[in-house]
Amino acid sequence: QVQLVESGGGLVQTGGSLRLSCAASRSIFSIDFMGWYRQAPGKQRELVASSRSSGRTNYADSVKGRFTISRDNAENTVYLQMNSLKPEDTAVYYCNAHASAWSQIYWGQGTQVTVSS
């Protein structure tokens, strides 16, 4: 139903910023849920931020006030602006998408974010 390609990861110092992009192969206007997850070594994948087609957004407590998720429907892209990065933000970040009419959840391949202390 959709292919997702993340980009924008990299190495940044503590306090720095990165903007991740998740480009979709189709229109995201009607996709109910799009989210950014992350997985650090030895840890479970966790939800970082989500965006619903209604406009509602949610954030993990650990990133509130620092990360912002946004949708660009014209570009079929979801962004994750990450500011004031900390070493504990180091992880592979994944984009996912789900719609109520779909039988599965779709994931991108992930992009590595490394924050040096």
Side-chain angles (χ1 to χ4, degrees):
Q1 297 276 12
V2 65
Q3 292 181 329
L4 304 171
V5 178
E6 301 99 331
S7 61
L11 174 64
V12 64
Q13 291 185 334
T14 296
S17 297
L18 284 173
R19 189 178 76 158
L20 305 183
S21 300
C22 172
S25 61
R26 52 151 285 171
S27 171
I28 64 171
F29 180 78
S30 60
I31 297 179
D32 298 322
F33 178 98
M34 296 200 72
W36 283 99
Y37 288 72
R38 67 186 179 188
Q39 187 166 21
K43 295 188 177 182
Q44 290 188 330
R45 191 172 296 189
E46 63 174 351
L47 177 63
V48 175
S50 64
S51 169
R52 295 192 177 271
S53 56
S54 64
R56 181 176 178 179
T57 58
N58 281 293
Y59 297 91
D61 287 342
S62 59
V63 306
K64 281 181 181 177
R66 300 189 297 122
F67 290 11
T68 303
I69 188 170
S70 60
R71 292 194 185 203
D72 186 333
N73 291 329
E75 296 294 328
N76 297 331
T77 300
V78 176
Y79 299 100
L80 185 68
Q81 177 66 43
M82 306 186 296
N83 299 327
S84 302
L85 283 162
K86 305 175 181 180
E88 51 263 44
D89 295 318
T90 295
V92 178
Y93 284 70
Y94 299 90
C95 175
N96 89 343
H98 178 64
S100 57
W102 298 349
S103 59
Q104 67 181 84
I105 297 171
Y106 293 87
W107 293 89
Q109 82 289 349
T111 185
Q112 176 71 48
V113 171
T114 303
V115 184
S116 63
S117 57

